[in-house]
Amino acid sequence: MKKEKVVVIGAGLCGLYTAFLLQKKGIEVLILEGNTRIGGRIKTITGTTAVTMEMGATWFGNQHQHLLEVLHTLELPYFRQHTKGISLFETMSFVPPQKFEISDSEEPSFRIEGGTAALIDKLSIEIGIQNIKTSTKITAIKEENNQLILVDSNGNSYSADKVISTIPPNLLVNSVVFEPNLTENFTQLAKKTHTWMGESIKFAVEYKTPFWKQNNYSGTLFSQASIVQEMYDHSTADNSGFALKGFLNGGTAVLSLEERKEKVIAQLTTFFGSEATNYVGYYENVWRQEPLTFQPYEQLVLAHQNNGHSIFKTPFLNEKLYVSGAETATQNPGYMDGAIFAAKTIASQF
Ligand SMILES: Cc1cc2nc3c(=O)[nH]c(=O)nc-3n(C[C@H](O)[C@H](O)[C@H](O)COP(=O)(O)OP(=O)(O)OC[C@H]3O[C@@H](n4cnc5c(N)ncnc54)[C@H](O)[C@@H]3O)c2cc1C
């Protein structure tokens, strides 16, 4: 009997875990990834002092059982987010931030030791790097002779018996041409499906010493008035590398990196003192400028809107095209846990 050939589009967490599960079933899988790197919305960078910093997915909790199960299977250790010490909440720019402490009894959030990319690296090794083709952006999918033909931006084509797309739905219908067209119902729904964190700006500031912790600050900060809206201590699990990391106000995407950096350092200096100016490096990722993640919506789409919608359950093109990815999951959609759940859902149909 001829072996079924399956192509997975996207080497983010969902694509990689789907391939991992299908291989376990003895199915041959090829992953086609548009970017030069793998990981998608998981992007761990390393600073000059060897601290790892997350420009994408970072935290998970005890409610993320599918992800926790994968971490245990792959023997990837994780650790609790540091929150001890004084945390800050700025409500207005003209009054000093309120101080508060996060209780140890609060539900913890965790980070993967060595960075979230450790999960991507481990899965890639399990799958076999030879089965992942990067710099292969799919622009068209045609149904031909009971097969699907995928065409990439360099004009190369690939044939498959079945295709699993893990491209976020809004991006999928705005960047890939289908022949025959997908149903109008699906296309309209996908255009109104939110891509989690697609509009966000992540930043990290690397330091030689954790001066905030030495001064009894946790590093946790919330602000409704300044550029840094949310921030946490980002020291490594073994406390050998130090950084502060969080989210910037999305509206500052119109500013230059230099302008944002200046405002971030000024805010940190106001809150934590002059030691904040002695940074080793400033890093950021403006996700709305990542064409393989984000595509502007045609109309207002709210956070998580249409995530996990039942329309994603049915395969298209005579049951040869499956639409997957974190946004299609019916459990914790948009999150890493959702990406894992979506992979399990599709793999169970093979
Ligand atoms: C800033 C930020 C912070 C986040 N924080 C958290 C967090 O703390 N906790 C949490 O659980 N989740 C978080 N998330 C969400 C988490 O990153 C996602 O749920 C998860 O990584 C999605 O995986 P995925 O494989 O479904 O999609 P993606 O990671 O988006 O993977 C899709 C892949 O498809 C590729 N692709 C796109 N178009 C094409 C094409 N035409 N051809 C070929 N390849 C293509 C992309 O390059 C990408 O690699 C965060 C996301 C961001 C951006």
Side-chain angles (χ1 to χ4, degrees):
M1 198 173 102
K2 182 180 159 270
K3 256 194 161 179
E4 195 171 52
K5 203 166 134 196
V6 178
V7 164
V8 172
I9 310 175
L13 180 56
C14 185
L16 293 172
Y17 194 61
T18 306
F20 174 83
L21 293 175
L22 292 180
Q23 280 185 347
K24 291 250 174 292
K25 292 186 168 196
I27 297 169
E28 194 184 309
V29 193
L30 172 67
I31 305 183
L32 301 177
E33 166 56 52
N35 214 333
T36 49
R37 65 171 188 90
I38 57 173
R41 279 173 279 170
I42 292 175
K43 185 178 179 188
T44 308
I45 58 167
T46 306
T48 52
T49 61
V51 61
T52 51
M53 291 164 285
E54 305 303 341
M55 294 290 106
T58 311
W59 299 281
F60 49 95
N62 286 321
Q63 72 275 30
H64 295 146
Q65 285 299 316
H66 303 287
L67 175 64
L68 289 170
E69 182 194 302
V70 173
L71 296 178
H72 287 131
T73 307
L74 298 177
E75 295 177 354
L76 288 169
Y78 52 89
F79 65 110
R80 195 180 171 134
Q81 169 66 44
H82 172 86
T83 52
K84 275 198 175 55
I86 301 163
S87 298
L88 300 172
F89 179 35
E90 184 188 39
T91 50
M92 283 168 278
S93 58
F94 50 88
V95 281
Q98 296 163 23
K99 295 181 174 176
F100 66 101
E101 291 208 26
I102 297 168
S103 158
D104 267 356
S105 62
E106 293 229 342
E107 189 59 30
S109 60
F110 304 108
R111 291 162 49 198
I112 299 173
E113 278 189 31
T116 319
L119 172 58
I120 296 297
D121 295 345
K122 194 81 182 259
L123 280 173
S124 313
I125 292 166
E126 293 279 337
I127 295 160
I129 208 79
Q130 71 282 2
N131 297 315
I132 307 170
K133 194 168 183 307
T134 51
S135 304
T136 307
K137 184 184 172 214
I138 299 306
T139 54
I141 300 178
K142 282 188 249 175
E143 193 183 14
E144 228 173 73
N145 303 328
N146 207 29
Q147 280 214 315
L148 293 183
I149 309 295
L150 300 94
V151 181
D152 73 14
S153 54
N154 298 315
N156 302 313
S157 39
Y158 310 81
S159 65
D161 297 307
K162 292 206 169 140
V163 170
I164 302 164
S165 165
T166 66
I167 304 172
N170 177 50
L171 180 63
L172 174 70
V173 296
N174 277 296
S175 59
V176 179
V177 175
F178 291 93
E179 201 183 307
N181 277 335
L182 299 183
T183 62
E184 191 56 19
N185 261 358
F186 171 78
T187 306
Q188 288 311 321
L189 195 280
K191 284 182 179 176
K192 290 183 219 137
T193 300
H194 188 253
T195 304
W196 185 233
M197 291 285 168
E199 300 97 330
S200 69
I201 308 176
K202 260 283 177 86
F203 82 99
V205 190
E206 179 185 9
Y207 289 98
K208 277 202 177 119
T209 55
F211 64 89
W212 57 95
K213 288 199 267 194
Q214 289 157 359
N215 296 333
N216 199 28
Y217 284 105
S218 63
T220 304
L221 158 71
F222 301 103
S223 171
Q224 296 171 342
S226 303
I227 183 164
V228 177
Q229 290 194 318
E230 194 180 329
M231 187 183 81
Y232 302 90
D233 170 78
H234 207 59
S235 305
T236 55
D238 63 359
N239 255 315
S240 63
F242 310 103
L244 290 166
K245 190 215 67 169
F247 297 91
L248 301 185
N249 180 301
T252 62
V254 296
L255 304 180
S256 68
L257 181 147
E258 277 307 317
E259 287 169 319
R260 282 190 294 267
K261 173 176 157 183
E262 200 178 298
K263 287 181 193 299
V264 169
I265 301 303
Q267 186 181 348
L268 297 184
T269 307
T270 307
F271 289 0
F272 298 118
S274 60
E275 285 164 289
T277 57
N278 298 328
Y279 59 91
V280 178
Y282 171 85
Y283 312 88
E284 60 169 40
N285 209 92
V286 182
W287 283 92
R288 65 166 63 236
Q289 291 166 7
E290 296 281 346
L292 290 164
T293 297
F294 185 76
Q295 169 76 27
Y297 305 104
E298 285 175 6
Q299 59 189 74
L300 178 69
V301 171
L302 302 173
H304 296 298
Q305 188 173 321
N306 288 321
N307 282 192
H309 195 282
S310 59
I311 207 161
F312 298 120
K313 281 194 180 141
T314 323
F316 299 90
L317 303 178
N318 293 309
E319 314 222 327
K320 289 193 281 295
L321 173 73
Y322 294 76
V323 176
S324 185
E327 278 65 31
T328 68
T330 49
Q331 291 185 25
N332 293 315
Y335 295 91
M336 291 187 280
D337 193 65
I340 297 287
F341 186 74
K344 282 166 112 174
T345 306
I346 299 290
S348 69
Q349 295 171 50
F350 280 75

